[in-house]
Amino acid sequence: MSVVPERLAVQLRPLPRHRAQTVVRLRGEVTSRRAPRIRRKLLRAFARAPGVMEVDLDKVTYLAPEVRALLLAAAANARRSGARFVITHASPLSLPVLDELGMERLTDVPLLPGP
């Protein structure tokens, strides 16, 4: 029987943990200047391979067109990856914008106003 020196032993690592739900929170004026940062946040959230991708729009006062496009892309990405896509706490100002985008058809839970 041969013995493998400890320093040559292969370290087995568990598979990365997948989260049941990942939340991305947006607040305030979500301008085009903030779009690259929001894109990175969404990409990091999808990298966690969530079963449910939630975007919390509590207290959003403005959604720039570039950010609207990111939300549409996130919904499509969730659908392709088999994750559920949910928008929660939609502010009264963001609801008409989301409705205009047809986001109700792309989310897995009806769009409801925030508390």
Side-chain angles (χ1 to χ4, degrees), residues 3-77:
V3 177
V4 177
E6 200 168 305
R7 65 176 188 217
L8 296 178
V10 176
Q11 295 283 332
L12 295 177
R13 296 183 197 170
L15 292 173
R17 293 181 122 180
H18 297 295
R19 295 179 185 236
Q21 182 166 342
T22 298
V23 180
V24 174
R25 288 183 173 80
L26 304 178
R27 290 180 176 35
E29 282 194 18
V30 187
T31 63
S32 58
R33 231 178 74 209
R34 292 179 56 194
R37 182 173 176 223
I38 292 166
R39 181 178 181 278
R40 287 189 300 272
K41 284 176 84 169
L42 289 168
L43 288 172
R44 278 194 306 270
F46 276 115
R48 295 181 187 123
V52 177
M53 173 66 145
E54 176 185 339
V55 178
D56 183 341
L57 297 180
D58 189 31
K59 300 178 185 172
V60 167
T61 58
Y62 175 74
L63 279 172
E66 295 86 350
V67 177
R68 297 173 199 177
L70 287 173
L71 291 176
L72 290 171
N77 190 32

Side-chain angles (χ1 to χ4, degrees), residues 50-52 76-84:
V52 177
N77 190 32
R79 192 155 316 265
R80 279 193 306 272
S81 68
R84 295 178 66 212

